[in-house]
Amino acid sequence: MNETDFNTLLELYLEGKCTPEQKEWMEQWFDRLSEEGSGEELPANKELVMQRLKNRIDGQIKRQNFFNLPVLLRVAASVIVILSLGTWAYLRYQSTATVALQYVTRSAARGQQLKVTLPDGSMVTLNAGSGIRYPENFKENRTVTLLEGEACFDVTTDQAHPFTVTSNGIQTAVLGTVFNVQAYKALDEITVTVIRGKVAVETSSQQKPLLVLPDEQAVIRAATGSQQKRKVNAAAVTGWVTGKLAFRNETLQHVAVLLENIYDVKIVFKDEATKGIRFTANFSSTDSLEKILFAIAKANKLNWSIRNKVVQF
């Protein structure tokens, strides 16, 4: 049956003027359509057929309750609803898929650093064992997620599109600046240190954003979201970028996390209290792990051992 014949038969059927044989054929066709939920077998333009059915049903609904309609019209109405919802969902999916952002993930292996140039020209230096994720297209969305570890950002200025770094619910918004974010999962603090420019640090709590200027550091407690600001030597904090290791009154737990990533080892403490001991010293990334461990042990009267890349204090 060609399209013209089918449309003619459809009109006769809807008007109740077709023969018994034609009526039986149409009802079988409607049954098949309702069961399969597809209009692929229509011998005519699907949109035209559905529109004609809808117009017919709309007229019937105005005159009587839906559940009193003939079985055929209720089936046809259900088919139209199914097809309409299916078409809407498909178009919605296609639209979403078209605009979905593609992301890039970059990671620095333990024992190594990695320099990354972002699509807008901004530079990121990843410390050992650190990773970031960012949109492939930076034109509208300059947002970088620090997945783990520590990164130093040198951001290209773009007044129309602020640059944002997110990590563990913390957002750092900038226009053009150099700053460092440290967010190791093993530590209970997230720090944002500004070398040049200024940043606004905001937590998921209701606190006001914290404005951080050069040689200042925002400290956010990961568990509570509480925040504070303190003066620091930003050059010392970011010394790792140029191969310097500066510990300023850091706990041994904090020092251990950094050394684990830099030297690709595991550091354990037999006594939990040892983790809280504070340590201050300067080293170079070219110094051997053994030299640093010896200095830590001597300064705090501790014993240490290393075996199969596991250090024990």
Side-chain angles (χ1 to χ4, degrees):
M1 181 182 299
N2 60 36
E3 180 175 346
T4 302
D5 291 340
F6 179 84
N7 289 333
T8 300
L9 179 58
L10 177 64
E11 294 292 349
L12 290 173
Y13 180 80
L14 294 177
E15 293 174 5
K17 297 179 180 180
C18 59
T19 66
E21 292 78 10
Q22 291 171 331
K23 180 180 179 181
E24 182 180 0
W25 187 91
M26 287 298 296
E27 289 180 350
Q28 289 177 354
W29 179 80
F30 275 120
D31 288 342
R32 186 170 67 254
L33 181 61
S34 63
E35 291 173 1
E36 296 176 358
S38 170
E40 297 302 325
E41 294 184 6
L42 283 171
N45 182 283
K46 181 168 65 177
E47 293 182 3
L48 177 62
V49 173
M50 291 298 107
Q51 186 58 48
R52 290 183 180 180
L53 282 173
K54 183 178 184 302
N55 292 341
R56 175 71 173 179
I57 293 167
D58 287 344
Q60 292 285 345
I61 291 175
K62 290 179 181 178
R63 293 191 294 273
Q64 53 185 306
N65 183 276
F66 176 83
F67 290 100
N68 292 327
L69 288 174
V71 174
L72 170 63
L73 290 181
R74 282 189 274 124
V75 170
S78 301
V79 170
I80 289 175
V81 171
I82 292 170
L83 291 177
S84 298
L85 289 175
T87 301
W88 175 85
Y90 174 78
L91 293 176
R92 178 82 173 179
Y93 170 79
Q94 288 294 91
S95 175
T96 303
T98 300
V99 300
L101 288 174
Q102 299 297 316
Y103 286 87
V104 177
T105 300
R106 301 295 303 275
S107 301
R110 291 179 63 151
Q112 300 178 10
Q113 291 183 8
L114 179 65
K115 292 186 181 296
V116 179
T117 302
L118 299 177
D120 66 341
S122 298
M123 299 293 299
V124 185
T125 303
L126 296 176
N127 207 346
S130 304
I132 59 172
R133 180 175 180 264
Y134 57 89
E136 195 173 59
N137 185 352
F138 247 36
K139 186 176 181 180
E140 300 296 335
N141 182 15
R142 296 207 303 166
T143 300
V144 176
T145 300
L146 177 59
L147 301 172
E148 163 71 2
E150 185 170 22
C152 187
F153 297 84
D154 189 344
V155 178
T156 300
T157 301
D158 183 347
Q159 297 290 336
H161 303 99
F163 188 102
T164 303
V165 177
T166 65
S167 184
N168 295 338
I170 309 301
Q171 292 190 352
T172 303
V174 305
L175 290 176
T177 184
V178 179
F179 63 101
N180 189 85
V181 180
Q182 186 181 89
Y184 288 100
K185 293 177 181 177
L187 300 178
D188 59 2
E189 290 182 347
I190 298 170
T191 62
V192 180
T193 308
V194 176
I195 297 92
R196 184 179 72 245
K198 61 183 177 181
V199 306
V201 179
E202 185 175 5
T203 67
S204 55
S205 63
Q206 299 301 315
Q207 300 179 76
K208 293 182 179 179
L210 202 61
L211 185 63
V212 187
L213 302 176
D215 284 328
E216 291 184 343
Q217 183 180 77
V219 182
I220 300 93
R221 300 284 295 183
T224 64
S226 63
Q227 58 189 34
Q228 68 178 90
K229 187 168 63 174
R230 62 191 179 194
K231 295 291 290 184
V232 296
N233 182 340
V237 172
T238 58
W240 62 268
V241 176
T242 57
K244 299 176 183 178
L245 295 177
F247 301 116
R248 294 289 182 270
N249 197 36
E250 300 287 1
T251 65
L252 289 190
Q253 180 184 16
H254 193 144
V255 172
V257 169
L258 299 180
L259 294 180
E260 284 179 336
N261 285 285
I262 294 170
Y263 292 96
D264 191 18
V265 295
K266 176 67 176 176
I267 299 178
V268 297
F269 297 90
K270 290 185 291 185
D271 186 349
E272 283 291 312
T274 305
K275 294 181 179 181
I277 295 175
R278 298 282 174 173
F279 181 66
T280 298
N282 293 320
F283 299 99
S284 168
S285 60
T286 58
D287 290 334
S288 68
L289 174 62
E290 287 75 9
K291 177 180 177 179
I292 299 176
L293 296 176
F294 177 81
I296 293 173
K298 185 174 182 180
N300 298 286
K301 298 181 180 179
L302 299 172
N303 295 317
W304 66 277
S305 63
I306 181 169
R307 183 178 180 182
N308 295 329
K309 301 183 74 173
V310 177
V311 178
Q312 186 174 79
F313 279 103

